[in-house]
Amino acid sequence: VKQEGRGALRFFEASMNAQLQARLLLGQELAHAVERGELVLHYQPIVNGVTGEVETFEALIRWMHPTRGMVPPIQFIPLAEETGLIDGIGRWVIDTACREAAGWPHPWRVSVNVSPKQFRQTDVCAAIGDALEANGIEPARVVVEVTEGILIDDADKAVAILNRLREMGVRIALDDFGTGYSSLSYLQLFQFDKFKIDKSFVNRLGEDDRALTLTRTIVNLGHNLGLQVTAEGVETQAQLDVLRSLGCDQIQGYLVARPAPIDAFTDLDRLRTKA
Ligand code: C2E
Ligand code: CA
Ligand code: CA
Ligand code: CA
């Protein structure tokens, strides 16, 4: 190895080391985030496609870090999954969402995300059951959003858990529909309550005929299977117009509102007229 090459390797090792150190530090800080009250839930409204009325609020976690500022979930949920912290954080999300929703001035539904790794690492049924009981919220007001990734490893076990959740009275939404790599055969295994069309389809509506065809097909597939269809990531009026013409049941996206603390949504008439 030439001198230069050795220097590059040493530099590479040093920067890997720095990355690892940074990750370790973030992991240690995350371990304390729950007890220090640094985690918060923001909410994004999901409105009726026809009337524009708010039906559900999706809970989206944020980490209010004392020095780093607001850390988005993409930057710490994977770390939480690797370190096992996701169990405690996931329980905190479910409990907090149910507690906050129980105090809302209107019985909107509340939707919580459960990642595939979280689904495997946590007893989701116990977490939901505890939160329902502790907060006295109607099970029918709670929606659990999962992705098809939960069905990839042990589908039988995943379906058994989904069925138990269903028996408890909560609803199950299939998030990011159309982005996974499994076949449609898993739709034979479980009757979801709704599909959420991934924003990668919605983004391209109006730009490309294929996106339109795919979106129409997903809406029709959902309806033919007897479930509701929500479009996520709706940012423009043109996208909204197309989705409404396709009969999409619910709309979610920056066009209606960005995720924010629940107190930001006092002016619900405005939301109603926007959609
Ligand atoms: P997701 O469940 O697919 O959530 C939708 C994401 O799209 C959210 O990002 C939301 O802020 C964003 N979004 C909403 N409307 C628009 C729009 O019109 N345009 C664009 N470009 N984006 C929009 P966020 O809050 O950063 O969350 C990212 C992901 O992190 C979520 O994707 C979900 O997979 C995960 N996540 C969030 N909260 C939780 C949680 O409490 N638990 C778990 N396990 N995962 C969570
Ligand atoms: Ca979601
Ligand atoms: Ca999604
Ligand atoms: Ca997503």
Side-chain angles (χ1 to χ4, degrees):
V1 188
K2 285 195 302 188
Q3 192 65 33
E4 204 180 298
R6 246 183 317 215
L9 184 62
R10 218 170 285 134
F11 175 75
F12 177 71
E13 280 173 347
S15 81
M16 278 301 282
N17 215 354
Q19 267 184 39
L20 199 67
Q21 297 265 326
R23 248 181 119 60
L24 280 172
L25 178 62
L26 198 65
Q28 282 164 7
E29 293 174 338
L30 186 56
H32 298 291
V34 173
E35 65 199 57
R36 289 183 184 152
E38 293 170 3
L39 299 179
V40 297
L41 294 181
H42 282 186
Y43 293 93
Q44 188 178 33
I46 302 175
V47 303
N48 185 288
V50 178
T51 65
E53 274 179 86
V54 177
E55 297 186 331
T56 306
F57 280 101
E58 179 175 1
L60 294 158
I61 195 170
R62 271 95 182 91
W63 179 7
M64 300 306 195
H65 191 283
T67 56
R68 297 173 207 263
M70 192 173 92
V71 185
I74 190 92
Q75 280 175 30
F76 69 90
I77 292 291
L79 184 64
E81 291 173 338
E82 283 162 33
T83 52
L85 293 169
I86 193 65
D87 181 55
I89 292 174
R91 284 172 177 274
W92 178 87
V93 167
I94 291 166
D95 183 61
T96 304
C98 290
R99 180 164 27 81
E100 294 187 346
W104 289 346
H106 186 89
W108 299 295
R109 291 204 169 112
V110 65
S111 203
V112 294
N113 291 282
V114 175
S115 75
K117 281 188 183 144
Q118 179 184 354
F119 195 83
R120 267 171 229 125
Q121 288 178 36
T122 307
D123 184 344
V124 182
C125 292
I128 298 268
D130 290 350
L132 293 174
E133 199 177 65
N135 301 295
I137 186 171
E138 272 284 297
R141 284 183 60 199
V142 177
V143 183
V144 178
E145 298 193 7
V146 297
T147 60
E148 61 177 62
I150 63 163
L151 293 159
I152 282 169
D153 262 358
D154 188 344
D156 291 346
K157 187 175 167 208
V159 168
I161 296 169
L162 293 176
N163 277 320
R164 269 173 58 207
L165 287 171
R166 165 70 60 61
E167 279 159 25
M168 290 165 68
V170 305
R171 277 145 217 269
I172 317 288
L174 183 55
D175 204 356
D176 300 343
F177 186 79
T179 60
Y181 294 97
S182 64
S183 70
L184 292 177
S185 64
Y186 69 87
L187 294 176
Q188 297 182 71
L189 302 175
F190 184 73
Q191 169 72 30
F192 290 94
D193 295 289
K194 68 163 136 169
F195 284 166
K196 296 189 75 174
I197 307 177
D198 191 70
K199 51 180 178 290
S200 59
F201 295 98
V202 174
N203 280 343
R204 288 196 272 274
L205 281 179
E207 287 172 22
D208 133 20
D209 285 349
R210 243 176 329 157
L212 175 63
T213 302
L214 287 166
T215 304
R216 178 191 290 120
T217 303
I218 295 171
V219 172
N220 291 342
L221 175 63
H223 286 167
N224 290 339
L225 288 169
L227 42 87
Q228 275 199 321
V229 181
T230 304
E232 65 174 22
V234 183
E235 294 182 353
T236 68
Q237 184 66 42
Q239 291 164 352
L240 176 65
D241 292 343
V242 171
L243 289 160
R244 294 180 86 173
S245 77
L246 296 179
C248 191
D249 303 285
Q250 290 182 320
I251 302 293
Q252 178 178 16
Y254 294 169
L255 180 70
V256 180
R258 288 182 181 252
I262 198 71
D263 302 343
F265 302 104
T266 49
D267 192 6
L268 285 161
D269 282 335
R270 188 184 57 80
L271 291 179
R272 196 167 294 142
T273 50
K274 253 195 160 172

